[in-house]
Amino acid sequence: MNAEIRSQFPILNQQINGRPLVYLDNAATVQKPQAVLDASQKYYTEINTNIHRGVHYLSRKATDAHEAARTSIAKHINAPHEHEVIFTSGTTDGINLVADTLTLSGEISAGDHVLISGLEHHSNIVPWQMLCQRTGATLDVIPITDSGEWDLTDIDSLLTEKTKMVAISHVSNALGTINPIETVIAKAKAHGAMVLIDGAQSTAHMDIDVQAIGCDFFVFSGHKTYAPTGIGILWGKTALLEMLPPWRGGGEMIKEVTFEHTTYNELPFKYEAGTPNIEGGIALAAALEWMSNIGLDVIAAHEQKLLDRATSAILEIEGIKIYGTAAHKAGVLSFGIKGVHHYDLGTLIDNMGVAVRTGHHCCQPLMKRFGITGTTHASFAIYNTEEEVDIFIAALKKAAMMLA
């Protein structure tokens, strides 16, 4: 089945430096199957026009397609209501929307706490720092163990009646750790705190049920889920989205405008000012449907098999250190070799046709926790093969030998 799935990704049929491309940078962005490329092209070649604002045929067709995508996405994440699904430009945009509207609403003020974890991407750190700077609230952090897992020893003291928001990642982009979000959500709810889950790294690898998770907000990006860049989703509970003020002003988010006063639109349009990424929303729905047709359990099992194979092989390399050895991981392998800079290692591996990521992975505080500046990082997707894992390991061994 893997060969049939792989054949659906045209970008993989190329060579890098005379070698077949082995793409292992999937945690940064995943490639797009033909079904998604077709959905994008169909929009632009058949129904391209603005939505919600015209009575002509194309406008009605485009509006119907866009709203059908919203309905499909709501079903995919088991949202109670489709109006709770807000189109954004991605995870970062969704987190900023929540952080900024909480500031504007006055729901968080001086003396309150926001809790994040030491595994967070900068996108789930900086917006909360900015909120704290604006409001006088304080930012607290769940510490990380040497294995790259949350240290929940003191979680009961980190959560207080002053904790207003807990913003945590479902899966670590840098280490692959699958976090026990249910444990923290239950404790946060016992203190009356809101919870935002960063699902950027989980939505492509596991079934998402926002009702079962029990969070208040859930965000993810299209480009991590086989869809285009520049599109994402913020899901939020109706009561909270209605309580919070609008974020950006402009077209679509209004009901009536005069020079003296403006009344705002109902959900979801209240948070969708301006012309949206219409094609992106349609293609995102196509991508989620494509994943569902394969089966999220099938995707996860395949990626786990590749991760296990790569992890076993990489330990044979002298001086190797794996960062992130949690018991429950997604298909991410983050590592370093003693005395070798991650950038040099990644460059040599790229010269051999293997695409991996190097650097701090937008997780500088996490890198500091381990006393390093960055890692080399391989991440797996459904279209990767065991043969590609072996090619990657061979390239890594050769690069390590050259840099020793």
Side-chain angles (χ1 to χ4, degrees):
M1 184 181 73
N2 188 258
E4 191 278 327
I5 291 173
R6 186 178 175 83
S7 70
Q8 299 177 45
F9 292 82
I11 197 171
L12 300 178
N13 299 321
Q14 62 176 298
Q15 293 193 336
I16 305 297
N17 297 321
R19 301 168 186 264
L21 169 64
V22 176
Y23 185 81
L24 301 179
D25 193 20
N26 297 291
T29 198
V30 74
Q31 300 301 339
K32 322 307 173 194
Q34 192 63 53
V36 173
L37 299 176
D38 289 346
S40 294
Q41 185 179 38
K42 183 176 181 180
Y43 168 75
Y44 284 120
T45 57
E46 296 184 16
I47 59 172
N48 175 46
T49 189
N50 217 323
I51 59 174
H52 298 138
R53 302 172 191 176
V55 296
H56 61 81
Y57 175 81
L58 288 185
S59 182
R60 287 185 281 114
K61 288 282 286 185
T63 299
D64 289 347
H66 191 252
E67 291 309 312
R70 192 192 309 273
T71 300
S72 177
I73 294 164
K75 182 179 179 180
H76 184 85
I77 62 174
N78 196 30
H81 309 287
E82 61 188 62
H83 64 246
E84 296 174 331
V85 173
I86 311 297
F87 285 113
T88 68
S89 67
T91 300
T92 301
D93 197 42
I95 294 172
N96 275 277
L97 190 163
V98 175
D100 288 358
T101 54
L102 282 172
T103 301
L104 292 168
S105 70
E107 285 295 309
I108 297 180
S109 56
D112 290 334
H113 297 171
V114 175
L115 181 64
I116 62 173
S117 88
L119 282 176
E120 301 311 316
H121 187 282
H122 294 164
S123 293
N124 204 30
I125 299 174
V126 178
W128 305 112
Q129 287 180 330
M130 296 169 72
L131 176 148
C132 290
Q133 290 167 359
R134 291 190 298 259
T135 63
T138 58
L139 188 69
D140 295 318
V141 182
I142 299 171
I144 304 305
T145 67
D146 290 342
S147 61
E149 299 170 284
W150 290 342
D151 182 352
L152 298 179
T153 305
D154 297 322
I155 188 64
D156 290 325
S157 61
L158 286 171
L159 286 165
T160 73
E161 299 307 314
K162 286 290 187 178
T163 306
K164 293 298 181 69
M165 169 60 75
V166 177
I168 46 179
S169 56
H170 202 171
V171 174
S172 165
N173 73 298
L175 305 182
T177 306
I178 300 174
N179 295 312
I181 58 172
E182 294 82 3
T183 298
V184 174
I185 290 172
K187 289 181 177 294
K189 288 301 173 184
H191 288 84
M194 293 174 283
V195 179
L196 179 145
I197 299 298
D198 172 357
Q201 295 295 332
S202 63
T203 308
H205 310 287
M206 59 183 73
D207 285 309
I208 300 300
D209 183 336
V210 293
Q211 295 188 67
I213 290 171
C215 57
D216 299 290
F217 303 99
F218 189 94
V219 292
F220 68 94
S221 297
H223 72 101
K224 313 272 191 188
T225 58
Y226 300 92
T229 57
I231 188 69
I233 294 298
L234 161 66
W235 170 82
K237 290 182 176 178
T238 296
L240 289 171
L241 292 175
E242 289 181 340
M243 178 270 293
L244 293 172
W247 186 30
R248 294 178 175 135
E252 196 60 44
M253 51 75 67
I254 58 89
K255 278 190 175 180
E256 184 177 356
V257 175
T258 68
F259 286 118
E260 292 75 32
H261 182 68
T262 295
T263 55
Y264 303 116
N265 210 340
E266 61 189 10
L267 295 174
F269 311 114
K270 173 184 173 181
Y271 293 108
E272 294 180 351
T275 299
N277 184 350
I278 307 167
E279 167 266 326
I282 293 169
L284 174 56
L288 297 182
E289 181 181 3
W290 180 85
M291 288 194 301
S292 293
N293 288 339
I294 295 173
L296 273 296
D297 55 340
V298 172
I299 292 173
H302 178 74
E303 293 169 349
Q304 185 64 52
K305 181 171 67 174
L306 299 182
L307 176 63
D308 291 344
R309 186 182 186 93
T311 301
S312 296
I314 206 173
L315 290 173
E316 299 174 2
I317 300 174
E318 185 177 352
I320 202 85
K321 180 177 176 59
I322 295 176
Y323 294 95
T325 55
H328 302 288
K329 285 183 61 175
V332 172
L333 185 59
S334 201
F335 59 92
I337 298 178
K338 186 176 182 180
V340 176
H341 195 278
H342 49 83
Y343 178 84
D344 296 335
L345 190 61
T347 300
L348 281 181
I349 294 172
D350 176 64
N351 288 339
M352 290 178 259
V354 181
V356 295
R357 183 149 294 258
T358 65
H360 53 66
H361 317 296
C362 294
C363 295
Q364 286 179 308
L366 178 60
M367 297 298 113
K368 185 177 180 180
R369 160 66 179 80
F370 288 107
I372 56 178
T373 59
T375 69
T376 303
H377 182 284
S379 48
F380 307 104
I382 184 62
Y383 46 69
N384 291 127
T385 67
E386 292 182 76
E387 180 186 9
E388 287 185 314
V389 170
D390 296 341
I391 293 171
F392 158 60
I393 293 297
L396 177 58
K397 287 180 177 179
K398 185 175 180 179
M401 186 171 58
M402 294 171 66
L403 293 168

